[in-house]
Amino acid sequence: MARTVAVVDYGMGNLRSVSQAVMHVAAGSGLEVVVTSTPEEVFAAERIVLPGQGAMPDCMRELRDSGLLEAVLDAAANKPLMGVCVGMQMLLERSEEGPTDGLGLIPGEVLRFRLEGRRQPDGSRFKVPQMGWNQVAQARAHPLWAGVPDGAWFYFVHSFYARPAAAEHSVGEADYGGRFTCALGRDNIFATQFHPEKSAEHGLALYRNFLHWKP
């Protein structure tokens, strides 16, 4: 039976660019990348990528309505799982957006940037969403950072950010009007607020490391 990486399609992910990036780094690895809306394929996969974009209440509703929720929770309990963008936010307990409950896999909450009237060092106003490149500090050592320099630049598009309850779950941090968590790690779960698939070589390195990660 083929070893597979399942990119979960519940109707709310940036599926094409995520799957293309994962397929690119999977070439020659013996892993087959499948974009799937079928719970059986998620249950059968060796590792899981959970993308997400748009509003978190919509993402949570679509994940439930798609019939994929149980398969994703099963994967999160015992397989390498990587969340991306709203796919990261969904891992926490709750979000101000909606507000809505998340999957509760990592203790913490998702908050909105409150930067009204504040200015950046160059005098321009902070804009929400944060859109563009930002530097990521590796707050904790993690196997997925292998080969990625501390302070590398990654691409962000978001109005909300994660605040994990425990500092040890914050493995990457960036600054936008203040320091915030942009990468989470706990046991077999790793997740990023930024988009590795839009972040050139360092983003591809994260996906490549994920394919070989043995938590």
Side-chain angles (χ1 to χ4, degrees):
M1 188 172 177
R3 296 167 58 216
T4 61
V5 182
V7 179
V8 183
D9 176 9
Y10 57 101
M12 296 296 294
N14 188 14
L15 292 169
R16 179 170 172 77
S17 57
V18 170
S19 61
Q20 294 280 44
V22 179
M23 287 175 185
H24 177 75
V25 298
S29 70
L31 285 163
E32 178 187 350
V33 181
V34 295
V35 178
T36 182
S37 56
T38 306
E40 290 76 15
E41 288 190 306
V42 176
F43 279 119
E46 178 180 299
R47 50 196 69 221
I48 308 296
V49 178
L50 180 67
Q53 63 181 12
M56 183 162 150
D58 296 337
C59 288
M60 288 300 301
R61 183 189 66 247
E62 293 299 319
L63 183 62
R64 286 191 298 269
D65 292 352
S66 69
L68 288 160
L69 176 60
E70 183 183 352
V72 169
L73 290 174
D74 176 78
N78 54 54
K79 299 174 184 176
L81 183 147
M82 183 169 177
V84 179
C85 195
V86 182
M88 180 190 92
Q89 296 176 9
M90 293 163 70
L91 301 176
L92 294 148
E93 294 170 300
R94 69 191 68 84
S95 174
E96 287 188 329
E97 189 173 16
T100 189
D101 290 336
L103 298 172
L105 297 168
I106 295 177
E109 58 189 343
V110 179
L111 304 174
R112 190 183 191 282
F113 281 121
R114 289 181 171 83
L115 300 169
E116 294 81 1
R118 295 186 50 193
R119 295 187 180 273
Q120 303 191 63
D122 65 2
S124 64
R125 291 184 184 276
F126 279 102
K127 294 179 180 178
V128 177
Q130 177 189 194
M131 186 179 298
W133 296 83
N134 201 345
Q135 280 186 288
V136 173
Q138 297 172 16
R140 298 282 185 281
H142 194 282
L144 264 70
W145 292 133
V148 178
D150 193 13
W153 293 79
F154 291 90
Y155 190 81
F156 290 79
V157 182
H158 65 125
S159 300
F160 293 79
Y161 63 93
R163 186 168 69 185
E168 63 263 29
H169 296 151
S170 179
V171 298
E173 297 176 356
D175 195 294
Y176 195 67
R179 193 96 155 176
F180 70 93
T181 294
C182 64
L184 294 170
R186 181 186 185 188
D187 303 327
N188 56 303
I189 296 171
F190 184 88
T192 66
Q193 179 62 65
F194 53 81
H195 290 271
E197 70 281 357
K198 298 179 180 177
S199 299
E201 61 190 278
H202 299 319
L204 290 176
L206 283 182
Y207 282 135
R208 186 177 295 108
N209 291 340
F210 173 70
L211 295 186
H212 300 285
W213 181 34
K214 293 180 172 62

